[in-house]
Each structure stands twice: as structure tokens, then as C-alpha cells.
Amino acid sequence: MRIPRFAKLLVAFLIGVVLVQLLYACATGSQAAGKTRLTIATVNNGDMVVMQGLSSKFEQANPDIQLRWVVLEENVLRQRTTTDVASQGGQFDVLTIGSYETPIWARRDWLKPLDLPASYDVNDLIKPIREGLSNNGKLYAVPFYGESSMLYYRKDLFEKAGITVPEQPTYSQLTEWASKVHDPANGVYGVCLRGKPGWGENMGFLSTLVNTFGGQWFDMKWQPTINTPAWKEAIAFYVDLLNKYGPPGASSNGFNENLALFSTGKCGMWVDATVAAGLLSNPKESQVYDKVGFARAPIEKYPNGSNWIWAWALAVPKTSKSPEAAQRFVAWATSKEYIQLVADQNGWVAVPPGTRTSTYNNPNYKKAAPFASIVLRSIESADITRPAANPTPYKGIQYVDIPEFQAIGSSVGQTMAAALTNRLSVDRALQQSQNSTERFMKHTGYIE
């Protein structure tokens, strides 16, 4: 007998809940004598690793608190934290979550509203980032870093090829440039883009690509619009570009994998999160730190939704066993003082970007970060209320602000990865994605 797919997913979810609880029970043990232990779930990217490395400073200043870190790959982090808060498991005291989850989880009463001291200076947080982490005027998470998306390119390779990059490039230009700098015999690939399946991995990039080609996820009646000419043009462009000029195994590459490829000189271009700018410009992190050029994320037919907006943020779940101590850590890790600490330890180019206006007004940061003005303009120009050429019933540029999008985006992401590896034609991948999304939207009551 064939087991329905939703039943398999339900079983997998329940097994995940049990495993997480068993792992937590085995790992945490008793509290250290006289100390409050905070368990922090975070993502395995460069800025979060820096935070973990500097957290001993927090423990020294707060000797009553001991930190325990659970560092996870992005897709796994999302699954673990969602499972925990949905099941009220209480595994974590501090969650690393994004702009997508924060207002949704706040509406579900899964997060504690933050009550930060005046010295924190909430109004210094960049407005679009702050508003994306709020619900009904209350702040439910604070940004560890904020980002949009942008184009990185190798200045040395472009100069050799006679290419001049405008501040606002187009995807048509990207194809031409990729053909000129593609040199696999010498280990350089024309372009690197996200291919790893996931609503926040390949679909994070592909949603912006679809937007600027004139498409969107849903029309104003919540009917899916995936099997449409705009999606077909965008996905066919993406598949063709990466198959011709991308690195081998592109369907396995997400943000971290492409960051490693670019920083070791293997990518001629890369369109991805602005947070990578500081990492690529840091001689401690990048072999091409002095060869990186920066420009706005490319556009094609329409500028709307061509660059995303996002924040990785720290929040305190309602199920935290030590909410006061958790909020103390959250305030420290996103404060002006923490930014200064990173600058003192690792240089201004390494500070968490996209969070505070004061960072972008700081002459030391401006001097160290040649990309700062592009990043700030990209963040400030991203409008989650107008993500596409035509009106949408949702907010969000690289995501749709409904709880169901996490499942929808991940499912479509798997199908797009199959198209990238030529296991499915683009036409078939779009039809399958349209059908599965229609079924999901009918099942959840958005459409009849």
C-alpha cells in the first residue's frame, strides 16, 4: 500500500520532536552550581561563529550565566527551532530566527516581547530591519545582522576581460560577463548562485529572480502563479546560466558553500547576501579580499523585488526557562558595545552589518567597508509591501509571509533543484510545483 506523502511528513515530524527532546535531555544535564545555563540555537555562518567566540566576554561580565551553544546548518536550524516552539519543547532559551518567522511566531504567541533598556537605543536599529522584527508595534527579536542582496565580482578578472560594471547591472549583462570570465581549466567558474534546496536557500535567490522577470508566487486571490511565462523565463535563465558557467555540483551549494568558493578564487561572480561583503573583504577570511568588486543586485524587466531584505535575529521563546537572563544576552549580542568589541578584536570590516544607523555613520566603518553605501541603499530600498511588478496579497520579497510558505517553498525548492540537475525539464518542474502548491493552498483553505 502506498503511504500518503502527508502521513510520511507527519511521522517524520513526530520522530524529530522525540529525538530533539532525547538529545536535549542527554546533553544539558543539571545547571552548573549557582549559574543559569542558557541554551542558544544559532546558524553556522561566519558572524554567528564570531559571536560564539566572543561570548566569553559576556560570561565574564555576567558570572551568574553559563552559555551552551547549539550551532546548526541553516535548514536544520529552522527545522529544529520550529519543532521546538511548535511543540513547546523548551529546548532553547535563545533562538536565532529570521525576518520571516518573527512576526508569524509573535502572532502565535511563541515569543516574548522584548523589554530593552534605554541604553540599548532601539531607534538606532535601521528602520526596515526593525519593522520586520516587530508585530503590532512591539519588538520580538533584535537583529544580529541585517542584509539585502548584491553582486560580487572579481575586479581583476573583469579588468582583464575589459568589463565595466555599472552600479545597477542587469541579468542579461550577467550572462555576457559570465561567458567572458568562465575559465574552468584554471579553476574559475563564471558565476556562483544558490542551488541547494530550501525555502531560504535556492528559493531565497530564485524568488528575487522571478520577481524581477515579472512573476510572483500568488495572485490577489491566492491562486499560485508558478506555471506562468515569467517563472518559465526566470527558471530557464537560471538553469541555463549555471549549467553553462557555474561550478560542478551547483545544486548542493547554498550561501556557505558559495562563500567558500568565491573566497578561494573559484567564482567570477556571485549574487547573494550583502552580509558576505565583510567576510570577502577580510584578509583573515578571504584569499581575494583585495580583488572584490561590489554592485547592486541585478535586475531584468522590473526593479521590484530584485534585492531581498532579511535579518538574522535573536529572540526569546515563551518556553525559555530563564527569560530574564536570555534577554540580557540578546541585548548584549546586538548592542553598540558588541559591535565595538568585534571591531576591536577583528577590525571594522568584520562587524555585523545592516543593523544600526550608527555603524554606517561611523567614519572607521566607512573607511574599512567600501561596500557600506551600496549595502545601506539596498536595505533601505527593499520594500516588502511591493515585492513584484503586480500587486500581491502577501508581504515579503524572497518569502511569502504566511506560515505555510516554509513547506511550500521547501517543496518547490526541491523541484527547482531537480530542474537544475536536469532530472526534470523546466516545464515539468514548474507544472509539478504549480500542482503541489495548488493542493497545499486548497488543503489549508486559501483557495477552494
Side-chain angles (χ1 to χ4, degrees):
M1 182 180 70
R2 186 169 179 265
I3 300 174
R5 185 169 180 270
F6 76 88
K8 294 179 181 178
L9 292 173
L10 178 60
V11 171
F13 173 81
L14 294 173
I15 291 172
V17 171
V18 173
L19 286 175
V20 167
Q21 292 174 337
L22 288 173
L23 286 168
Y24 180 75
C26 293
T28 53
S30 60
Q31 296 280 67
K35 292 190 176 185
T36 297
R37 175 180 287 174
L38 296 180
T39 301
I40 303 165
T42 195
V43 68
N44 65 338
N45 63 33
D47 284 288
M48 297 303 188
V49 172
V50 169
M51 177 176 66
Q52 185 181 3
L54 294 175
S55 62
S56 60
K57 301 289 186 182
F58 173 82
E59 290 178 314
Q60 291 168 12
N62 298 270
D64 58 323
I65 297 175
Q66 182 183 64
L67 304 178
R68 173 181 176 265
W69 295 84
V70 179
V71 183
L72 302 165
E73 187 270 334
E74 182 173 327
N75 287 339
V76 178
L77 172 77
R78 288 188 166 117
Q79 183 182 38
R80 287 276 300 273
T81 54
T82 303
T83 298
D84 185 59
V85 296
S87 65
Q88 298 187 341
Q91 316 298 325
F92 306 114
D93 298 290
V94 175
L95 305 174
T96 302
I97 63 175
S99 302
Y100 162 71
E101 296 99 338
T102 301
I104 294 173
W105 291 10
R107 290 194 293 269
R108 291 183 167 186
D109 199 31
W110 288 352
L111 303 176
K112 291 189 69 67
L114 298 177
D115 182 20
L116 299 163
S119 59
Y120 183 82
D121 194 2
V122 168
N123 290 330
D124 186 48
L125 298 176
I126 296 172
K127 188 177 179 180
I129 298 292
R130 183 178 74 240
E131 290 179 344
L133 300 172
S134 301
N135 185 56
N136 290 332
K138 293 183 179 180
L139 195 62
Y140 282 85
V142 280
F144 184 73
Y145 70 73
E147 66 182 30
S148 185
S149 52
M150 67 191 301
L151 170 67
Y152 305 99
Y153 62 93
R154 284 278 299 277
K155 292 188 294 185
D156 55 332
L157 300 180
F158 275 49
E159 183 179 348
K160 183 178 178 181
I163 301 169
T164 300
V165 179
E167 183 181 331
Q168 181 57 78
T170 67
Y171 276 107
S172 297
Q173 290 174 316
L174 203 75
T175 301
E176 179 188 351
W177 299 338
S179 70
K180 291 182 177 181
V181 300
H182 188 60
D183 187 11
N186 289 306
V188 178
Y189 302 95
V191 63
C192 293
L193 299 170
R194 295 190 187 192
K196 179 186 288 186
W199 72 267
E201 282 282 9
N202 63 345
M203 295 316 300
F205 169 74
L206 287 176
S207 292
T208 66
L209 187 69
V210 167
N211 291 340
T212 197
F213 270 80
Q216 60 199 74
W217 276 94
F218 301 97
D219 67 17
M220 290 299 291
K221 295 182 178 180
W222 287 106
Q223 291 287 342
T225 57
I226 298 171
N227 194 22
T228 55
W231 270 79
K232 181 176 180 178
E233 188 176 0
I235 302 305
F237 168 86
Y238 164 78
V239 169
D240 184 63
L241 182 67
L242 275 183
N243 281 333
K244 284 182 177 177
Y245 306 120
S251 63
S252 299
N253 295 340
F255 172 81
N256 284 333
E257 293 80 7
N258 283 323
L259 174 64
L261 286 169
F262 196 102
S263 65
T264 54
K266 295 180 175 63
C267 300
M269 289 180 290
W270 180 32
V271 182
D272 213 298
T274 56
V275 71
L279 301 172
L280 293 176
S281 302
N282 189 342
K284 296 179 181 179
E285 304 281 347
S286 172
Q287 296 176 22
V288 295
Y289 69 94
D290 57 345
K291 300 179 179 67
V292 185
F294 310 94
R296 296 288 296 270
I299 62 173
E300 191 57 21
K301 296 182 178 181
Y302 303 94
N304 298 50
S306 66
N307 60 289
W308 69 60
I309 189 166
W310 182 258
W312 274 120
L314 301 178
V316 179
K318 274 288 188 74
T319 52
S320 170
K321 298 176 177 64
S322 306
E324 186 279 328
Q327 186 164 275
R328 221 189 308 169
F329 173 79
V330 161
W332 172 83
T334 60
S335 65
K336 295 178 185 178
E337 292 74 22
Y338 176 82
I339 289 174
Q340 184 66 54
L341 175 63
V342 176
D344 293 341
Q345 296 284 328
N346 300 321
W348 275 100
V349 74
V351 303
T355 61
R356 291 185 171 271
T357 301
S358 56
T359 300
Y360 289 86
N361 290 335
N362 189 305
N364 295 315
Y365 185 66
K366 290 180 179 180
K367 183 179 178 180
F371 47 81
S373 61
I374 294 177
V375 172
L376 187 60
R377 286 200 300 273
S378 297
I379 291 174
E380 290 180 337
S381 68
D383 185 354
I384 63 172
T385 67
R386 296 178 63 244
N390 296 315
T392 66
Y394 57 85
K395 295 179 182 179
I397 295 173
Q398 77 279 26
Y399 59 84
V400 175
D401 66 336
I402 58 174
E404 295 80 5
F405 180 73
Q406 194 165 336
I408 292 170
S410 294
S411 174
V412 174
Q414 291 285 351
T415 309
M416 294 303 110
L420 180 59
T421 56
N422 299 311
R423 288 181 285 124
L424 288 176
S425 68
V426 170
D427 285 343
R428 188 175 176 190
L430 293 176
Q431 186 61 62
Q432 285 190 10
S433 297
Q434 176 78 14
N435 293 344
S436 64
T437 305
E438 282 182 356
R439 287 195 299 270
F440 202 96
M441 296 301 279
K442 288 177 181 178
H443 178 71
T444 51
Y446 284 86
I447 59 177
E448 293 183 358

